[in-house]
Amino acid sequence: MLKALLTPLLLSAPVTIVQAAVTVTGPDGKLAVTTDISDGKPQYTVTYDGKTVIGSSPLGFKSDVADFSSSMTITDTLRSSVDKRYTQDKIKHSDITYRANALAVTMKNVDGNEMTVEWQVSDNDVALRYAIPRQGETGAMIVNEESTGYRLPDDTRVFMTSQSDPMIGWKRTKPSYEEFYHVEAPLGTKSDYGHGFTFPALFHTPDGIWVLLTETDVDGYYCGSHLSDFHDGLYTIAYPMQEENNGNGTASPGIGLPHNTPWRTITIADNLAPIVETTIPWNLVEPRYETSRKAAPGRGTWSWIVWQDGSINFDDQKTYIDFAAEMGYENVLVDNWWDTNIGRDGIERLAAYAAGKGVNLIMWYSSSGHWNDIVQGPTGKMDRPIARKNEMKWLRETGIKAIKVDFFGGDKQETMRLYKDILSDAADYGIDVVFHGCTLPRGWERMYPNFVGSEAVLASENLIFGQNHCDLEAVSATLHPFIRNTAAIMEYGGTFLNRRLNRGNDGGTTRRTGDAFQLATSVLFHNPVQNFALTPGNLTDAPAEAIEFMKAVPTTWDETRYIDGYPGKYAVIARRNGDTWYVAGVNAMETPVTVCLPGFIGDNAKIYYDKTTDRMATRTVGKDRTVTIPSNCGFTAVSH
Ligand code: CA
C-alpha cells in the first residue's frame, strides 16, 4: 500500500488539502492507524505488528445538519502527543501513566461542513472520536446515525453479549446489560434479540490478536452506544432503540456545537495482559467536579441477596448490621421495600444502631418514573430534582453516605443525563452512588468522584433465581475479568458460602462451585464497594478459614495483572493492595488446570484452595510454585 510511503507531517504543521492517507502509530511503533478517504468516504485501518486487526472500516456520521460520511475531503492534519499521570483509588491501578500519539484529521464535505476525526494511539489502545465545530450559524445538531465500523479479520472469534429487547423482563425494566455471553462464537453470530451487542466486546483473531471494543466519556450530552449486528462484513456503532425508556426521549443524541462525541476505544494485543490491565476508559476523561468528601470504598453485607424481600424488616437488618460488625465490614446494604416495611423512623434508629458499631447503611432506591412498572419502594425520589434533593437532605441528616439506585430505562441520552444528575446531586450531599439495573459505566469512575459501582452484568441474584445460572457460574466467572470488568468496575454482589441459596441453607438453588472458588471471585470481580452474599449463618456453617479470608480481603487495588487464563475456560488474575498480593484463579473446564504462581508470591504465601467443590483447604506455596484447580474450583494465594 502507498499509505506507508507518505512523508511524515511536521509537528503541529497544518497542511491544506491532504487528499491522501495519514498514519499515526503508538509510542512503541506496533499499533498503526491509517485514515484515508475512498470515493469521498472516510475510512480507517488498524494494524498491530504488521498484521491487519481492523480492515478498512467506515468513519463519519449523518446528522440533521449535514452528512459527514460521504463526499468528504481531508483538509488538515495536526499531530501532538499525550503524556499524563494521575492517581485513582477506585479502578484496577492506583497510579496511572498514559502516553499516546495523537492525530487530528480534519475533513470537509462538498458543502463545506467540517468535522475532525481525533485519534489517540498508545502501545495497546486506539481511541477515536469526532470533534464537531459550529456549522456557520448552526449551533444545534441531531446525530441520526454513525458509520463508525469495525471490520475484523475473517474467522475471528467473538465473546459478546446481546443488547436486549426494550421494555421486557422484570416490570419491563430492560435493557440492563444482563444477558448471557456468546463465548468464542464465529464472527457474524446473530445477536439474541436482533439489536446487536453491548459494550464491551472481546474478539480473538486467527492471528492470535485480542481486541476489546468499548466506549468512554459518555455523559448527559450523548447516548450510550452499542454494536450493531454483523452486516456487510463488519459491526457498526448503533444508537439506542426508540422504544427504550418507554419511548420517552430521543434515540438520536442532540448536541450543542462545538461538541466532541464519546471516545470509542479499541484495545489490541497479542496476549491478554493488555486487555486485563488497560486503563484506557479512564485515561481519556477528567473528573467533572470536586467533592467535599472522598468516596468511601468498603465491604458490606446485604440480607436481600439470600434472605430476599422477607428480610427487609427491622430485626433482620439489625442481624445483618451485627454480622457486618463481626466481619469488620464498613457497610450494610438495605434493599427494596424499606420505606414500607421499616419506615423512616425505623431507618433512623437502625442508622444510629449501625453507627454505634462502626457500620454505615447503604439505602436502595428505584430510579423510578415513567419508564417501567416498578412498585418496589422507595419510588418517585430519584427521577425528579426537588424530591431527590429533599431525600438526600434526609439521608445526610440520618448519617447515610451511600445509595444504590436500581432499574434505569436504557441507553438514551435522557437516561445518561439522569445518571449524571443523580451523581451530581448526591455529591452535593456527600453521598456515594451504586447503580443497578443499569447501563455500562463509561469512564464514570474518574468523571464522577462519588460514583462507586454499577451492576450491568448477569449478577449474583441470578444464582438465586435459576439453577441454570448456578450451573454456568464458573463459565461466567472466567469471562468477566477479561470483558465486562476490565472496561469498568462491576458491582456483582457475590461470594456465597451457603451451599443452598436460601435463608435456611436447605433449599432453593444449589451452588456447583467450591468455597475457595467463591473466595477467588472477591478478588477476580472488582468494585470499590463490594456487598458480599455471605449470611450470618456462615460464621458457623462455613470453613473458619473462608471467614478469615473474607474478613481480610480488600476492595481497592493498587495494581492488577493478568497471570493466566482464557475467557470461558479459566482465569487467573493478580491484584495488589499496598504490599499484599492476591492471586486468584477459577476453572470452568471439565478437566483440572495447573497454573504457575508469579514470582512476587513468596514460598511462604498462604493458598486458600478447593481440593474438590465440597472441600476447601489451605497450605503454603512451598517449592512447587504451581496450583492445580479442579473443575468448578478456585484458589487465592495471598502474599504476606
Ligand atoms: Ca439486576
Side-chain angles (χ1 to χ4, degrees), residues 88-94 272-279 282 445 476-492 495 518-530 532 549 552-564 571-586 597-602 605-606 635-640:
Q88 193 74 29
D89 59 4
K90 293 186 291 183
I91 60 172
K92 61 183 88 165
H93 304 282
S94 61
L272 282 162
I275 302 290
V276 169
E277 298 165 19
T278 184
T279 52
W282 309 286
E445 296 87 340
S476 298
T478 63
L479 296 173
H480 302 320
F482 302 114
I483 311 173
R484 164 65 182 85
N485 207 181
T486 192
I489 57 177
M490 181 178 86
E491 216 275 282
Y492 186 84
T495 306
Q518 293 295 318
L519 304 186
T521 63
S522 72
V523 176
L524 286 175
F525 301 166
H526 172 225
N527 199 71
V529 169
Q530 293 250 39
F532 294 121
F549 179 97
V553 71
T555 63
T556 56
W557 305 103
D558 294 298
E559 201 176 336
T560 293
R561 288 196 205 170
Y562 166 78
I563 302 299
D564 200 352
V572 187
I573 306 289
R575 300 193 196 270
R576 178 176 63 81
N577 174 289
D579 295 332
T580 306
W581 278 102
Y582 283 72
V583 180
V586 293
L597 291 169
F600 49 77
I601 289 289
K606 186 166 182 174
F635 81 94
T636 307
V638 186
S639 75
H640 287 291

Side-chain angles (χ1 to χ4, degrees), residues 321 331-334 347 350-351 354 359-363 400-402:
I321 291 167
N331 302 314
V332 166
L333 165 60
V334 185
I347 292 298
L350 274 178
V359 174
N360 296 303
L361 303 187
I362 300 176
M363 304 307 297
I400 289 159
K401 301 187 188 73

Side-chain angles (χ1 to χ4, degrees), residues 178 406 436-437 455 461:
E178 296 174 84
D406 209 338
H436 266 235
E455 184 183 35
E461 61 193 9

Side-chain angles (χ1 to χ4, degrees), residues 451-517:
F451 168 72
V452 291
S454 283
E455 184 183 35
V457 62
L458 212 46
S460 62
E461 61 193 9
N462 295 287
L463 301 170
I464 308 279
F465 297 156
Q467 186 60 44
N468 59 326
H469 293 273
C470 290
D471 299 343
L472 289 168
E473 185 187 8
V475 175
S476 298
T478 63
L479 296 173
H480 302 320
F482 302 114
I483 311 173
R484 164 65 182 85
N485 207 181
T486 192
I489 57 177
M490 181 178 86
E491 216 275 282
Y492 186 84
T495 306
F496 292 87
L497 290 175
N498 272 29
R499 286 274 158 207
R500 301 296 301 273
L501 305 187
N502 75 341
R503 183 165 180 154
N505 202 0
D506 57 1
T509 54
T510 302
R511 177 158 60 89
R512 301 294 190 207
T513 56
D515 288 339
F517 175 105

